[in-house]
Amino acid sequence: QQQVKQSPQSLIVQKGGISIINCAYENTAFDYFPWYQQFPGKGPALLIAIRPDVSEKKEGRFTISFNKSAKQFSLHIMDSQPGDSATYFCAASSAGGGADGLTFGKGTHLIIQP
Amino acid sequence: NAGVTQTPKFQVLKTGQSMTLQCAQDMNHEYMSWYRQDPGMGLRLIHYSVGAGITDQGEVPNGYNVSRSTTEDFPLRLLSAAPSQTSVYFCASSYVLAGTYEQYFGPGTRLTVT
């Protein structure tokens, strides 16, 4: 049972374009939705996160859009750069802060072409 | 701060052997977790701990044991290794502060079971 579904599996975007990755969840108890970035051979690193009381959060070129009624959230990377090429994971947790760990999507391999 | 450290970086085991993957953090975080990452599967939670002496099972706990005798350390034990346990293992630590929750991941241990 996959509780967080992520799409697409892979994505190629031209430099300067907008990269969009989507996630959908099933568990209505989830109350924290982070995105992680992972480079080859490294552990995931937190990129940006949102709670369901807001519909959008922006940090630099990265924006999370959140639709509570549809149980969907997405990551937008504006002005995508070759250095953004990585694997991106959405995740979700409940228990008011994720003390019981994160449920991850399967990941999106993003390639930014120069 | 060293953050989250994991040893070893690489390990090859034969079927039936046992071993312990070490994880330590120096950030005084209450929460620690173990994940495994397999191609196309994202990260899946094995076990987690909300404090010293307290552990619980995640999504894929079978074949693994954990204990948490100190805040800093959270070792993962493979009792009798199987080829299905070939994976990259990540340890993470986290805190909750004013509704903000961030998991810090270690660099990972790549395990091959033959």
Side-chain angles (χ1 to χ4, degrees):
Chain A
Q1 174 187 356
Q2 184 189 358
Q3 294 195 60
V4 179
K5 294 184 179 180
Q6 183 172 347
S7 62
Q9 279 188 318
S10 60
L11 180 63
I12 299 174
V13 175
Q14 296 297 315
K15 178 182 175 183
I18 303 173
S19 303
I20 301 174
I21 304 170
N22 300 299
C23 283
Y25 64 97
E26 299 165 4
N27 186 347
T28 55
F30 287 149
D31 63 358
Y32 174 77
F33 302 90
W35 284 89
Y36 280 80
Q37 180 187 56
Q38 185 180 32
F39 294 104
K42 304 292 187 183
L46 180 66
L47 195 59
I48 186 172
I50 197 168
R51 291 197 170 272
D53 51 348
V54 297
S55 60
E56 186 175 280
K57 183 175 181 180
K58 184 176 180 180
E59 291 184 1
R61 296 184 294 109
F62 301 92
T63 300
I64 298 179
S65 297
F66 186 81
N67 186 328
K68 187 174 181 179
S69 61
K71 293 188 286 186
Q72 295 175 345
F73 58 110
S74 60
L75 175 69
H76 292 64
I77 306 174
M78 312 300 288
D79 187 26
S80 299
Q81 299 297 312
D84 297 329
S85 296
T87 300
Y88 293 80
F89 294 95
C90 61
S93 73
S94 58
D100 56 351
L102 292 165
T103 299
F104 283 85
K106 293 187 176 182
T108 296
H109 185 211
L110 174 65
I111 297 173
I112 308 300
Q113 289 188 333
Chain B
N1 286 353
V4 179
T5 57
Q6 292 184 238
T7 56
K9 283 188 168 55
F10 301 94
Q11 182 70 49
V12 178
L13 288 179
K14 294 189 187 305
T15 297
Q17 287 184 317
S18 63
M19 79 159 294
T20 299
L21 279 63
Q22 301 292 345
C23 174
Q25 54 97 2
D26 62 357
M27 297 173 283
N28 202 32
H29 288 168
E30 284 183 83
Y31 311 125
M32 296 187 75
S33 309
W34 276 102
Y35 296 85
R36 59 178 288 174
Q37 184 174 25
D38 302 293
M41 294 296 293
L43 288 92
R44 291 181 291 170
L45 182 66
I46 304 171
H47 286 285
Y48 64 95
S49 169
V50 299
I54 306 170
T55 64
D56 207 344
Q57 296 180 352
E59 180 186 354
V60 288
N62 292 341
Y64 308 96
N65 273 359
V66 293
S67 60
R68 183 111 178 261
S69 57
T70 68
T71 299
E72 294 78 19
D73 299 299
F74 190 42
L76 178 72
R77 296 183 190 84
L78 280 69
L79 306 174
S80 177
S84 61
Q85 294 179 303
T86 294
S87 187
V88 181
Y89 291 85
F90 289 100
C91 177
S93 73
S94 56
Y95 67 91
V96 178
L97 178 63
T100 299
Y101 167 75
E102 178 170 354
Q103 281 204 338
Y104 293 82
F105 283 82
T109 294
R110 184 173 294 273
L111 175 67
T112 302
V113 183
T114 61

